[in-house]
Amino acid sequence: MEDSEDIRTKVNWLKHTPPTKENLVKIRDYAASTHNHRRQWILREEPTMSEILEAYPRLRDLPELINLDFEAICPDKGVNLFTNMTHEFKARVMEVAKAQKNTVIDSMLQKHGKDEDNEDLCVLYALSLMLPTTNYQKGKRSKLASMPKQTKSVSRVESLSYICQDANTCADVDIFAQEKGKNYVQPFLLSVGGESRNFYIIVDDVAIPAGSKLLEAFDRLFKVFYVFNVKFPIQVESFYQFISSNLYRLDGVTIRPQVRSLMTSLNGCKPN
């Protein structure tokens, strides 16, 4: 077992070493061996997301390290989203969503195209729209974010912006992150571009690259909440409960009755 001086040396090396091709193997190795130290600091001190990125900037420019930390926190769960987001599951979601006869859901489905990425986006949005929004923060205020017990009331359509937002091709993602609305405290996805899109995770006033595939970007967004020890946005808490329990199959997730009801509807659905 490494002593604390070795760990501090590695943490300092990680902070000040650029992620060049020659350094990648060593960065991954040092990130893995300092995980427990990093995790204990996050849980004990409850730093802000910006403070975590300042201490561990490689989490920003090598976001694959977020996957490694999540796997250490939730062993054998890292690929569950891709394993469980099957064609059959997506077909069931679409079938149940269309059966709602809801103009908001119908409008969302009509707005987005039928390519693979938009199909995944439609599934995520449909799940969120079929679950209730929450506008009250119960319990004590989180030290992780300046979020009041009562938040601004949002509609189901507005709640989607707490999952993903769109920006035009010319958008400066760093400026977007710095100028986003004050009500967007927790991380969310930013989609930039038209047919050829790039995704970013907006964390405080920082934009973390998340690739060009929606599902891969959402997977990394979900893992950020666990790695940074951040609560899910209260406005889409039921949505994230569903994702945590039904797609990632995480243990110990509190599930609301509405989430269980949607699970039952999906399990009983036989898509055409």
Side-chain angles (χ1 to χ4, degrees):
M1 186 174 181
E2 295 180 279
D3 60 34
S4 57
E5 184 61 33
D6 288 335
I7 292 295
R8 283 195 294 270
T9 299
K10 289 184 175 182
V11 169
N12 186 64
W13 185 90
L14 282 170
K15 183 174 182 178
H16 296 100
T17 301
T20 61
K21 183 178 180 180
E22 294 74 19
N23 293 329
L24 288 182
V25 173
K26 193 172 183 179
I27 287 174
R28 293 188 187 102
D29 179 59
Y30 278 19
S33 61
T34 58
H35 167 77
N36 288 339
H37 173 83
R38 180 165 55 256
R39 187 64 178 169
Q40 291 169 10
W41 170 64
I42 291 173
L43 296 178
R44 182 181 65 251
E45 300 296 332
E46 294 187 336
T48 65
M49 294 180 288
S50 293
E51 289 169 342
I52 294 172
L53 289 173
E54 182 179 357
Y56 295 94
R58 301 292 77 79
L59 290 172
R60 176 183 180 179
D61 48 39
L62 274 180
E64 66 183 85
L65 300 182
I66 293 171
N67 292 350
L68 297 177
D69 268 10
F70 180 84
E71 188 64 34
I73 298 167
C74 305
D76 303 320
K77 306 291 186 181
V79 299
N80 279 8
L81 177 67
F82 304 99
T83 301
N84 296 316
M85 188 77 115
T86 62
H87 176 74
E88 180 183 359
F89 172 80
K90 291 188 279 191
R92 288 181 176 182
V93 172
M94 291 295 97
E95 192 79 13
V96 173
K98 291 173 183 176
Q100 302 290 309
K101 304 297 182 181
N102 184 296
T103 56
V104 174
I105 295 177
D106 292 343
S107 177
M108 181 276 295
L109 294 176
Q110 185 176 7
K111 177 181 178 181
H112 298 286
K114 294 183 178 181
D115 62 79
E116 181 180 349
D117 249 13
N118 277 346
E119 180 187 27
D120 291 333
L121 183 64
C122 284
V123 169
L124 294 176
Y125 277 178
L127 287 171
S128 181
L129 291 171
M130 287 189 289
L131 290 164
T133 60
T134 307
N135 296 305
Y136 290 90
Q137 176 72 38
K138 296 181 180 180
K140 65 180 182 179
R141 290 171 63 176
S142 169
K143 189 177 179 181
L144 299 170
S146 55
M147 188 173 182
K149 289 187 177 181
Q150 182 174 350
T151 65
K152 177 186 176 183
S153 178
V154 298
S155 68
R156 291 193 180 187
V157 174
E158 291 172 326
S159 72
L160 299 181
S161 65
Y162 289 85
I163 301 171
C164 185
Q165 297 184 27
D166 292 314
N168 63 49
T169 307
C170 300
D172 185 312
V173 295
D174 293 319
I175 293 177
F176 181 97
Q178 294 164 14
E179 296 181 350
K180 69 181 186 301
K182 293 182 179 179
N183 51 311
Y184 296 105
V185 177
Q186 284 103 329
F188 62 90
L189 283 181
L190 175 66
S191 172
V192 179
E195 293 184 3
S196 178
R197 292 183 293 177
N198 286 303
F199 293 93
Y200 299 85
I201 303 169
I202 304 301
V203 174
D204 283 349
D205 59 353
V206 175
I208 300 177
S212 59
K213 294 292 185 181
L214 182 279
L215 200 59
E216 293 176 7
F218 179 78
D219 176 64
R220 192 157 290 164
L221 168 68
F222 180 88
K223 291 171 179 176
V224 160
F225 288 99
Y226 281 83
V227 171
F228 286 49
N229 194 35
V230 181
K231 292 181 178 180
F232 295 125
I234 192 68
Q235 295 86 352
V236 285
E237 190 173 45
S238 294
F239 165 76
Y240 276 111
Q241 280 183 7
F242 182 96
I243 298 296
S244 301
S245 59
N246 204 59
L247 292 177
Y248 281 92
R249 308 286 173 86
L250 300 183
D251 300 323
V253 178
T254 301
I255 304 176
R256 292 176 176 166
Q258 299 94 328
V259 176
R260 291 189 185 277
S261 177
L262 179 56
M263 289 180 179
T264 300
S265 297
L266 292 173
N267 290 335
C269 175
K270 295 182 179 180
N272 297 325

